[in-house]
Amino acid sequence: MVDDDTQGPKRAQFGEARRHYRPRAKLRWPVVVAVANPDNEAGVWAGTTLAVTHGVSVGGAFVESDLVVPVGQSLRLWLHPPAPHPPGIPDTLRFSAQVRWQNLMPSKGLPRGFGVQFRAVTSAEEIALHAYFSAHHKVV
């Protein structure tokens, strides 16, 4: 292949391009949601509810739930990806999160719920998510 000055080197010259394992189908994992106490007391949580994710990525997820949580609210999430679990990876992933947006009225393709952004994701948590993505949605 020939380099073109307007486009830089051709992509094929770099071998296999890095691929993020973000499946086309929305991942539906059970999740336990704990809502922070509105009084912001450290270590106090207002309650928990069982829900399901409608999509998970390294940066966050959409939580399908009838629970109304205000934008900006802090949460703790316990994600339960389906078996089989990759070797050395826990069967439950715990994240601190913040609500970034809400969908209060179900519409075509998007149920009622809220979008969350994972906060302070560690490298171990990111590796665990990628391990689940690659184990269940490997691109060959």
Side-chain angles (χ1 to χ4, degrees), residues 33-117:
V33 179
V35 180
N37 187 334
D39 297 330
N40 292 325
E41 294 178 35
V44 178
W45 296 88
T48 61
T49 188
L50 182 61
V52 66
T53 61
H54 190 66
V56 177
S57 71
V58 172
F62 178 78
V63 178
E64 183 179 335
S65 174
D66 288 332
L67 185 66
V68 177
V69 184
V71 172
Q73 178 69 51
S74 294
L75 305 171
R76 284 196 183 155
L77 304 175
W78 288 265
L79 294 171
H80 299 276
H85 304 295
I89 303 297
D91 58 350
T92 301
L93 303 173
R94 189 181 122 200
F95 293 98
S96 293
Q98 183 177 35
V99 176
R100 302 301 289 173
W101 59 278
Q102 300 174 342
N103 185 43
L104 300 176
M105 299 296 295
S107 60
K108 295 179 184 177
L110 190 61
R112 185 176 167 146
F114 49 91
V116 298
Q117 177 183 11

